Amino acid sequence: MTPTWRKPAGMFAILALIAIWCVVIASLSPVVGGWAWWLQLPFYLVTGIIWIAPLKPLLRWMETGRWR
């Protein structure tokens, strides 16, 4: 079995996704920082979990070469 280019490309895509997501969420910190802590908590919980959603198809593509 020969290694495919999909795994390294997928790893870079995952790292890019995380970096972009961090920049987007961090850019919202001036707005969110003015909220009460009980409003910040669900915001950061949801945004901390939601970035995982695009990983399933990406990981499937890395393994099989198909998106579905």
Side-chain angles (χ1 to χ4, degrees):
M1 294 179 64
T2 59
T4 65
W5 60 271
R6 288 190 312 265
K7 290 195 180 187
M11 288 187 322
F12 286 119
I14 289 171
L15 291 175
L17 172 72
I18 293 171
I20 291 168
W21 191 251
C22 288
V23 168
V24 168
I25 299 305
S27 69
L28 294 174
S29 67
V31 175
V32 177
W35 298 354
W37 70 269
W38 52 272
L39 289 173
Q40 290 182 30
L41 180 67
F43 173 79
Y44 284 118
L45 283 174
V46 169
T47 57
I49 294 172
I50 202 166
W51 67 271
I52 298 171
L55 290 185
K56 186 175 181 180
L58 181 59
L59 291 171
R60 185 180 310 121
W61 172 78
M62 286 171 60
E63 288 295 321
T64 64
R66 292 175 294 172
W67 289 104
R68 293 182 183 205

